Amino acid sequence: MNQAASWAKRSAAAVWHPCTQMQWLEEHPVHLIQSAQGAWLVEEQGRRVLDAISSWWVNLWGHGHPAIVAALKDQLDRLDHVMLAGLTHQPVVELSERLSLRTGGSLGHCFYGSDGASATEMALKMSAHYWRHQGQPNKNSFIALAHGYHGETLGALGVTDIPLFRTAYAALIRGAHTIPAPDSRIPGSEARSLEALATYLAAHQGEVAALILEPLVQAAAGMVFHSPEYVRAVLACCRHHDVHVIADEIAVGFGRTGTFFAYEQSGITPDFLCLSKGITGGFLPLSVVLTQDPLYQAFYAEGVDRAFLHSHSYTGNPLACRAALAVQQLFDETGILALNQARQAQMAQQVAPLFAHPRITQGRQRGMIWACEVIDPPAHFARRFHARAWEAGVLLRPIGHTLYFMPPLNLTGEELDFLVSRTLETLEEVLA
Ligand SMILES: *Cc1c(COP(=O)(O)O)cnc(C)c1O
């Protein structure tokens, strides 16, 4: 047995892997990664594999970016961790100020957690607690979009509508009211969704605290797009009915959709903004909820019972915040969003051969997200495609029949060519 196979075996025995049927690892063992640089993962003996999904959408600048590494090394010599109750530190202050600045100052208060699901939970709790402060404790239910994904802890699962993640735990969660999902591919779906929202709010606004959505792209649903006008209409409708909007930009924030935040394209600012995944460029776990001032002010009072009572041990960890600051710095220094904007036409041309494949339909792109549907896929398509693509040198994990790329923002033209050609090659093999 070679070294990688032996580690895979030990991993399967001792590590319970996420989102995985462990029995499948007998046929498809996990791959041992030795190192990573840029868009590339490196296996034993130096074989390189292109990480075309930024390792579950977190490695925004690829792996091991020297600027983030340098910032972390500097931070390691200064301060590892300190609790954030009664104490503070420079990275968390600077990061909060910079994120707030990105919203034009309108979301000026940052509350930190360690992962995306806890950001969802914090926003849900803040919203319901706010209404309680306003003397409306009955406003404590939530509206979510069909097929939406907001994390898998029990509270977050309540607003997540993906049966695969939810069914087994249904008895443990308090569900939300679900409105039909908008989908740019289905004419009239946005209008139908908005109509359902307006009808529901007209009858139930006294019970609803907030609506939660992933602006522009329902990612885990299979990269389902909707228009900025839809987001704008949702925000306007909720505001009209005195209901908060929580923008879950855990996946789509930080330039993924072409603008720094996806909600910007709607022209309206949400009440809460949840961020995680790309925030530290994949170096350390961190999440944050940004909140508007009037919401924050409702908690600002004499008694501790008026405060937002929520905490995590690692809240605002200095190392994570420092990595996040380095990520912010990279946006400023590289002008990556403008660069990619200028590359749009070129990139569309590069992906065209894939979208033109006879067994591919509904090719679509938004910012640095590409997706398409495979026509008439064979059984266990996603699993088989993932396995063959790895052999061909790319990390891809289709969602059902949906094939997608969400590579680092700084992917080069040559890397995109490599990705497209290896994807086509894999497609031929899997469909044969
Ligand atoms: C990944 C994701 C989450 C959950 O984040 P975790 O860090 O995995 O808990 C929530 N919302 C969206 C939109 C996501 O993509």
Side-chain angles (χ1 to χ4, degrees):
M1 199 184 292
N2 66 21
Q3 222 206 14
S6 142
W7 279 103
K9 215 166 162 190
R10 285 169 63 184
S11 192
V15 182
W16 200 340
H17 289 267
C19 207
T20 298
Q21 172 46 265
M22 293 297 291
Q23 196 193 68
W24 294 355
L25 300 189
E26 287 181 27
E27 199 185 334
H28 296 295
V30 289
H31 304 285
L32 179 68
I33 303 304
Q34 294 286 17
S35 63
Q37 196 59 48
W40 301 89
L41 306 173
V42 184
E43 287 190 287
E44 198 192 14
Q45 269 132 30
R47 194 179 87 100
R48 303 196 321 155
V49 177
L50 184 77
D51 186 352
I53 56 172
S54 307
S55 280
W56 265 346
W57 320 341
V58 303
N59 284 85
L60 204 61
W61 293 93
H63 296 268
H65 195 291
I68 307 174
V69 171
L72 273 176
K73 283 183 174 165
D74 178 70
Q75 186 60 39
L76 274 170
D77 285 334
R78 294 170 191 273
L79 175 64
D80 51 356
H81 181 69
V82 68
M83 60 192 281
L84 205 57
L87 304 168
T88 195
H89 52 85
Q90 289 168 7
V92 76
V93 176
E94 280 185 46
L95 178 63
S96 306
E97 289 172 352
R98 287 182 81 146
L99 289 176
S100 162
L101 211 60
R102 295 272 185 201
T103 71
S106 52
L107 293 159
H109 304 278
C110 295
F111 197 101
Y112 290 89
S114 316
D115 52 52
S118 42
T120 296
E121 306 247 348
M122 292 176 324
L124 298 176
K125 280 177 72 177
M126 269 183 194
S127 173
H129 198 166
Y130 169 86
W131 292 116
R132 188 182 155 87
H133 282 330
Q134 302 305 109
Q136 295 181 265
N138 292 334
K139 272 172 88 72
N140 61 36
S141 71
F142 301 102
I143 299 176
L145 270 54
H147 321 307
Y149 181 91
H150 303 288
E152 295 171 50
T153 54
L154 292 179
L157 207 46
V159 289
T160 287
D161 184 43
I162 296 185
L164 176 66
F165 301 132
R166 199 179 143 124
T167 305
Y169 315 104
L172 310 182
I173 59 190
R174 173 174 179 258
H177 178 76
T178 314
I179 58 167
D183 184 337
S184 302
R185 298 165 296 186
I186 304 171
S189 65
E190 293 190 351
R192 281 194 294 278
S193 175
L194 289 169
E195 216 175 277
L197 174 62
T199 306
Y200 187 78
L201 284 182
H204 298 277
Q205 77 169 64
E207 305 148 31
V208 180
L211 172 146
I212 185 165
L213 88 166
E214 302 158 81
L216 299 185
V217 182
Q218 290 190 287
M223 302 300 158
V224 179
F225 295 175
H226 54 254
S227 70
E229 292 72 32
Y230 172 83
V231 179
R232 184 181 177 81
V234 165
L235 276 150
C237 182
C238 286
R239 208 140 282 174
H240 177 73
H241 287 283
D242 239 1
V243 162
H244 296 144
V245 173
I246 301 168
D248 176 353
E249 299 215 10
I250 291 164
V252 298
F254 300 108
R256 285 289 185 198
T257 67
T259 44
F260 195 83
F261 296 123
Y263 81 78
E264 289 170 29
Q265 296 179 40
S266 77
I268 301 187
T269 306
D271 301 284
F272 301 95
L273 178 65
C274 300
L275 303 171
S276 187
K277 291 210 165 95
I279 191 167
T280 66
F283 277 72
L284 287 159
L286 182 71
S287 67
V288 60
V289 176
L290 279 77
T291 312
Q292 297 219 15
D293 192 55
L295 283 153
Y296 167 82
Q297 290 301 340
F299 292 80
Y300 197 86
E302 182 69 31
V304 71
D305 58 318
R306 292 282 301 195
F308 181 55
L309 296 171
H310 190 98
S311 51
H312 294 286
S313 311
Y314 283 86
T315 293
N317 173 263
L319 290 163
C321 289
R322 189 66 193 275
L325 273 172
V327 165
Q328 291 304 307
Q329 191 85 14
L330 279 171
F331 274 99
D332 292 344
E333 283 170 4
T334 60
I336 192 81
L337 295 186
L339 286 176
N340 284 345
Q341 191 64 38
R343 285 170 71 202
Q344 284 295 311
Q346 168 70 22
M347 291 192 288
Q349 220 168 35
Q350 290 179 271
V351 180
L354 173 63
F355 286 178
H357 190 279
R359 295 285 290 278
I360 291 293
T361 182
Q362 298 168 23
R364 53 197 186 274
Q365 179 189 0
R366 180 158 282 160
M368 289 293 282
I369 303 173
W370 290 265
C372 58
E373 306 301 308
V374 178
I375 300 168
D376 212 6
H380 311 303
F381 168 76
R383 239 193 297 161
R384 289 174 57 188
F385 192 95
H386 165 73
R388 297 306 280 270
W390 186 266
E391 298 309 317
V394 289
L395 171 60
L396 286 169
R397 280 177 66 110
I399 303 170
H401 306 172
T402 307
L403 195 54
Y404 77 90
F405 306 150
M406 209 199 275
L409 299 182
N410 53 350
L411 191 79
T412 65
E414 296 79 61
E415 287 164 344
L416 184 55
D417 277 337
F418 176 89
L419 172 57
V420 171
S421 77
R422 296 303 163 94
T423 301
L424 277 165
E425 206 178 291
T426 305
L427 198 60
E428 292 299 343
E429 282 178 28
V430 173
L431 296 180

PDB file of all heavy atoms in Angstrom, residues 13 28 41 45 47 52 102 107 161 189 198 205 216-217 235 247 294 313 315-316 358 368 377:
ATOM      1  N   ALA A  13     -11.114   5.429   9.008  1.00  0.00           N
ATOM      2  CA  ALA A  13     -11.361   4.762  10.284  1.00  0.00           C
ATOM      3  C   ALA A  13     -11.547   5.762  11.429  1.00  0.00           C
ATOM      4  O   ALA A  13     -12.380   5.564  12.312  1.00  0.00           O
ATOM      5  CB  ALA A  13     -10.201   3.821  10.602  1.00  0.00           C
ATOM      6  N   HIS A  28     -14.273   4.745  -3.202  1.00  0.00           N
ATOM      7  CA  HIS A  28     -13.630   6.020  -3.560  1.00  0.00           C
ATOM      8  C   HIS A  28     -12.924   6.584  -2.332  1.00  0.00           C
ATOM      9  O   HIS A  28     -13.471   7.434  -1.637  1.00  0.00           O
ATOM     10  CB  HIS A  28     -14.671   7.042  -4.043  1.00  0.00           C
ATOM     11  CG  HIS A  28     -15.381   6.645  -5.305  1.00  0.00           C
ATOM     12  ND1 HIS A  28     -14.736   6.516  -6.506  1.00  0.00           N
ATOM     13  CD2 HIS A  28     -16.678   6.351  -5.534  1.00  0.00           C
ATOM     14  CE1 HIS A  28     -15.610   6.164  -7.439  1.00  0.00           C
ATOM     15  NE2 HIS A  28     -16.794   6.042  -6.873  1.00  0.00           N
ATOM     16  N   LEU A  41      -4.016  22.132  -5.607  1.00  0.00           N
ATOM     17  CA  LEU A  41      -3.787  21.218  -4.498  1.00  0.00           C
ATOM     18  C   LEU A  41      -2.685  20.269  -4.928  1.00  0.00           C
ATOM     19  O   LEU A  41      -2.615  19.894  -6.098  1.00  0.00           O
ATOM     20  CB  LEU A  41      -5.053  20.407  -4.200  1.00  0.00           C
ATOM     21  CG  LEU A  41      -6.338  21.199  -3.951  1.00  0.00           C
ATOM     22  CD1 LEU A  41      -7.527  20.251  -3.837  1.00  0.00           C
ATOM     23  CD2 LEU A  41      -6.205  22.041  -2.697  1.00  0.00           C
ATOM     24  N   GLN A  45       3.825  12.857  -4.048  1.00  0.00           N
ATOM     25  CA  GLN A  45       4.603  12.769  -5.276  1.00  0.00           C
ATOM     26  C   GLN A  45       4.384  13.954  -6.227  1.00  0.00           C
ATOM     27  O   GLN A  45       4.709  13.897  -7.406  1.00  0.00           O
ATOM     28  CB  GLN A  45       4.340  11.461  -6.014  1.00  0.00           C
ATOM     29  CG  GLN A  45       5.321  10.368  -5.600  1.00  0.00           C
ATOM     30  CD  GLN A  45       4.616   9.071  -5.289  1.00  0.00           C
ATOM     31  OE1 GLN A  45       3.581   8.784  -5.855  1.00  0.00           O
ATOM     32  NE2 GLN A  45       5.185   8.308  -4.397  1.00  0.00           N
ATOM     33  N   ARG A  47       1.725  15.439  -7.637  1.00  0.00           N
ATOM     34  CA  ARG A  47       0.687  15.617  -8.655  1.00  0.00           C
ATOM     35  C   ARG A  47      -0.213  16.788  -8.254  1.00  0.00           C
ATOM     36  O   ARG A  47      -0.636  16.895  -7.105  1.00  0.00           O
ATOM     37  CB  ARG A  47      -0.166  14.357  -8.814  1.00  0.00           C
ATOM     38  CG  ARG A  47      -1.020  14.391 -10.087  1.00  0.00           C
ATOM     39  CD  ARG A  47      -1.830  13.120 -10.242  1.00  0.00           C
ATOM     40  NE  ARG A  47      -3.096  13.213  -9.555  1.00  0.00           N
ATOM     41  CZ  ARG A  47      -4.256  13.483 -10.161  1.00  0.00           C
ATOM     42  NH1 ARG A  47      -4.302  13.666 -11.468  1.00  0.00           N
ATOM     43  NH2 ARG A  47      -5.363  13.555  -9.469  1.00  0.00           N
ATOM     44  N   ALA A  52     -11.182  23.857  -8.442  1.00  0.00           N
ATOM     45  CA  ALA A  52     -12.114  24.690  -9.220  1.00  0.00           C
ATOM     46  C   ALA A  52     -13.329  25.126  -8.422  1.00  0.00           C
ATOM     47  O   ALA A  52     -14.188  25.847  -8.931  1.00  0.00           O
ATOM     48  CB  ALA A  52     -12.562  23.938 -10.469  1.00  0.00           C
ATOM     49  N   ARG A 102     -17.284  49.101   3.514  1.00  0.00           N
ATOM     50  CA  ARG A 102     -17.709  48.444   2.268  1.00  0.00           C
ATOM     51  C   ARG A 102     -19.213  48.569   2.050  1.00  0.00           C
ATOM     52  O   ARG A 102     -19.697  48.414   0.937  1.00  0.00           O
ATOM     53  CB  ARG A 102     -17.358  46.954   2.291  1.00  0.00           C
ATOM     54  CG  ARG A 102     -15.877  46.654   2.315  1.00  0.00           C
ATOM     55  CD  ARG A 102     -15.295  46.572   0.927  1.00  0.00           C
ATOM     56  NE  ARG A 102     -13.905  46.164   0.952  1.00  0.00           N
ATOM     57  CZ  ARG A 102     -13.049  46.387  -0.028  1.00  0.00           C
ATOM     58  NH1 ARG A 102     -13.438  47.011  -1.127  1.00  0.00           N
ATOM     59  NH2 ARG A 102     -11.805  45.979   0.062  1.00  0.00           N
ATOM     60  N   LEU A 107     -24.222  49.499   7.273  1.00  0.00           N
ATOM     61  CA  LEU A 107     -24.252  48.349   8.182  1.00  0.00           C
ATOM     62  C   LEU A 107     -23.035  48.506   9.091  1.00  0.00           C
ATOM     63  O   LEU A 107     -21.964  47.984   8.809  1.00  0.00           O
ATOM     64  CB  LEU A 107     -24.224  47.044   7.391  1.00  0.00           C
ATOM     65  CG  LEU A 107     -25.496  46.777   6.552  1.00  0.00           C
ATOM     66  CD1 LEU A 107     -25.218  45.783   5.431  1.00  0.00           C
ATOM     67  CD2 LEU A 107     -26.632  46.278   7.415  1.00  0.00           C
ATOM     68  N   ASP A 161     -33.986  24.800   3.044  1.00  0.00           N
ATOM     69  CA  ASP A 161     -35.030  23.996   2.399  1.00  0.00           C
ATOM     70  C   ASP A 161     -34.417  23.011   1.396  1.00  0.00           C
ATOM     71  O   ASP A 161     -34.800  22.977   0.241  1.00  0.00           O
ATOM     72  CB  ASP A 161     -36.056  24.924   1.723  1.00  0.00           C
ATOM     73  CG  ASP A 161     -37.225  24.124   1.131  1.00  0.00           C
ATOM     74  OD1 ASP A 161     -37.704  23.199   1.807  1.00  0.00           O
ATOM     75  OD2 ASP A 161     -37.632  24.431  -0.006  1.00  0.00           O
ATOM     76  N   SER A 189     -41.238  32.995 -12.774  1.00  0.00           N
ATOM     77  CA  SER A 189     -41.008  32.462 -11.426  1.00  0.00           C
ATOM     78  C   SER A 189     -40.723  33.572 -10.405  1.00  0.00           C
ATOM     79  O   SER A 189     -41.126  33.459  -9.242  1.00  0.00           O
ATOM     80  CB  SER A 189     -39.865  31.442 -11.437  1.00  0.00           C
ATOM     81  OG  SER A 189     -38.650  32.070 -11.779  1.00  0.00           O
ATOM     82  N   ALA A 198     -45.988  38.708  -1.053  1.00  0.00           N
ATOM     83  CA  ALA A 198     -46.899  39.804  -0.722  1.00  0.00           C
ATOM     84  C   ALA A 198     -48.170  39.270  -0.072  1.00  0.00           C
ATOM     85  O   ALA A 198     -48.666  39.825   0.922  1.00  0.00           O
ATOM     86  CB  ALA A 198     -47.218  40.606  -1.980  1.00  0.00           C
ATOM     87  N   GLN A 205     -47.955  39.606   8.665  1.00  0.00           N
ATOM     88  CA  GLN A 205     -46.807  40.454   9.018  1.00  0.00           C
ATOM     89  C   GLN A 205     -46.617  40.593  10.526  1.00  0.00           C
ATOM     90  O   GLN A 205     -45.503  40.785  10.994  1.00  0.00           O
ATOM     91  CB  GLN A 205     -46.887  41.814   8.333  1.00  0.00           C
ATOM     92  CG  GLN A 205     -47.882  42.791   8.953  1.00  0.00           C
ATOM     93  CD  GLN A 205     -47.689  44.172   8.365  1.00  0.00           C
ATOM     94  OE1 GLN A 205     -47.892  44.406   7.181  1.00  0.00           O
ATOM     95  NE2 GLN A 205     -47.277  45.119   9.211  1.00  0.00           N
ATOM     96  N   LEU A 216     -29.076  36.939  -5.338  1.00  0.00           N
ATOM     97  CA  LEU A 216     -28.628  36.671  -6.726  1.00  0.00           C
ATOM     98  C   LEU A 216     -28.351  35.203  -7.068  1.00  0.00           C
ATOM     99  O   LEU A 216     -28.638  34.772  -8.185  1.00  0.00           O
ATOM    100  CB  LEU A 216     -27.390  37.497  -7.108  1.00  0.00           C
ATOM    101  CG  LEU A 216     -27.542  39.015  -7.063  1.00  0.00           C
ATOM    102  CD1 LEU A 216     -26.266  39.676  -7.591  1.00  0.00           C
ATOM    103  CD2 LEU A 216     -28.750  39.503  -7.824  1.00  0.00           C
ATOM    104  N   VAL A 217     -27.775  34.447  -6.136  1.00  0.00           N
ATOM    105  CA  VAL A 217     -27.455  33.051  -6.459  1.00  0.00           C
ATOM    106  C   VAL A 217     -27.801  32.143  -5.282  1.00  0.00           C
ATOM    107  O   VAL A 217     -27.222  32.278  -4.200  1.00  0.00           O
ATOM    108  CB  VAL A 217     -25.952  32.869  -6.790  1.00  0.00           C
ATOM    109  CG1 VAL A 217     -25.664  31.413  -7.164  1.00  0.00           C
ATOM    110  CG2 VAL A 217     -25.510  33.800  -7.915  1.00  0.00           C
ATOM    111  N   LEU A 235     -36.862  43.235  -0.926  1.00  0.00           N
ATOM    112  CA  LEU A 235     -36.495  44.195   0.110  1.00  0.00           C
ATOM    113  C   LEU A 235     -37.588  45.245   0.285  1.00  0.00           C
ATOM    114  O   LEU A 235     -37.964  45.591   1.409  1.00  0.00           O
ATOM    115  CB  LEU A 235     -35.158  44.850  -0.248  1.00  0.00           C
ATOM    116  CG  LEU A 235     -33.936  44.030   0.179  1.00  0.00           C
ATOM    117  CD1 LEU A 235     -32.752  44.248  -0.725  1.00  0.00           C
ATOM    118  CD2 LEU A 235     -33.555  44.359   1.625  1.00  0.00           C
ATOM    119  N   ALA A 247     -29.687  39.249   4.450  1.00  0.00           N
ATOM    120  CA  ALA A 247     -28.985  38.830   3.235  1.00  0.00           C
ATOM    121  C   ALA A 247     -27.896  37.852   3.645  1.00  0.00           C
ATOM    122  O   ALA A 247     -26.944  38.226   4.327  1.00  0.00           O
ATOM    123  CB  ALA A 247     -28.388  40.042   2.529  1.00  0.00           C
ATOM    124  N   PRO A 294     -30.253  51.443  13.598  1.00  0.00           N
ATOM    125  CA  PRO A 294     -31.499  51.440  14.391  1.00  0.00           C
ATOM    126  C   PRO A 294     -31.747  50.087  15.084  1.00  0.00           C
ATOM    127  O   PRO A 294     -32.288  50.046  16.189  1.00  0.00           O
ATOM    128  CB  PRO A 294     -32.589  51.706  13.342  1.00  0.00           C
ATOM    129  CG  PRO A 294     -31.883  52.349  12.202  1.00  0.00           C
ATOM    130  CD  PRO A 294     -30.496  51.790  12.187  1.00  0.00           C
ATOM    131  N   SER A 313     -16.879  30.918  21.949  1.00  0.00           N
ATOM    132  CA  SER A 313     -15.559  30.988  22.596  1.00  0.00           C
ATOM    133  C   SER A 313     -14.549  31.739  21.731  1.00  0.00           C
ATOM    134  O   SER A 313     -13.733  32.502  22.216  1.00  0.00           O
ATOM    135  CB  SER A 313     -15.027  29.589  22.867  1.00  0.00           C
ATOM    136  OG  SER A 313     -16.009  28.810  23.489  1.00  0.00           O
ATOM    137  N   THR A 315     -15.133  33.990  19.396  1.00  0.00           N
ATOM    138  CA  THR A 315     -15.661  35.225  18.807  1.00  0.00           C
ATOM    139  C   THR A 315     -14.560  36.248  18.542  1.00  0.00           C
ATOM    140  O   THR A 315     -13.852  36.652  19.458  1.00  0.00           O
ATOM    141  CB  THR A 315     -16.718  35.843  19.750  1.00  0.00           C
ATOM    142  OG1 THR A 315     -17.856  34.980  19.794  1.00  0.00           O
ATOM    143  CG2 THR A 315     -17.178  37.202  19.242  1.00  0.00           C
ATOM    144  N   GLY A 316     -14.437  36.656  17.277  1.00  0.00           N
ATOM    145  CA  GLY A 316     -13.493  37.718  16.916  1.00  0.00           C
ATOM    146  C   GLY A 316     -12.036  37.334  17.093  1.00  0.00           C
ATOM    147  O   GLY A 316     -11.191  38.193  17.361  1.00  0.00           O
ATOM    148  N   PRO A 358     -23.142  19.130 -26.691  1.00  0.00           N
ATOM    149  CA  PRO A 358     -24.520  18.693 -26.954  1.00  0.00           C
ATOM    150  C   PRO A 358     -25.260  18.150 -25.718  1.00  0.00           C
ATOM    151  O   PRO A 358     -26.493  18.162 -25.699  1.00  0.00           O
ATOM    152  CB  PRO A 358     -24.353  17.594 -28.014  1.00  0.00           C
ATOM    153  CG  PRO A 358     -22.895  17.272 -28.060  1.00  0.00           C
ATOM    154  CD  PRO A 358     -22.176  18.481 -27.589  1.00  0.00           C
ATOM    155  N   MET A 368     -17.799  35.397 -10.953  1.00  0.00           N
ATOM    156  CA  MET A 368     -16.861  34.278 -11.058  1.00  0.00           C
ATOM    157  C   MET A 368     -17.549  32.948 -10.718  1.00  0.00           C
ATOM    158  O   MET A 368     -16.920  32.050 -10.147  1.00  0.00           O
ATOM    159  CB  MET A 368     -15.662  34.512 -10.148  1.00  0.00           C
ATOM    160  CG  MET A 368     -14.730  35.615 -10.626  1.00  0.00           C
ATOM    161  SD  MET A 368     -13.874  35.200 -12.173  1.00  0.00           S
ATOM    162  CE  MET A 368     -12.587  34.103 -11.545  1.00  0.00           C
ATOM    163  N   PRO A 377     -28.145  12.606 -17.431  1.00  0.00           N
ATOM    164  CA  PRO A 377     -26.902  12.078 -16.842  1.00  0.00           C
ATOM    165  C   PRO A 377     -27.071  10.619 -16.407  1.00  0.00           C
ATOM    166  O   PRO A 377     -28.179  10.202 -16.095  1.00  0.00           O
ATOM    167  CB  PRO A 377     -26.686  12.968 -15.623  1.00  0.00           C
ATOM    168  CG  PRO A 377     -28.044  13.445 -15.259  1.00  0.00           C
ATOM    169  CD  PRO A 377     -28.868  13.490 -16.509  1.00  0.00           C
TER     170      PRO A 377
END
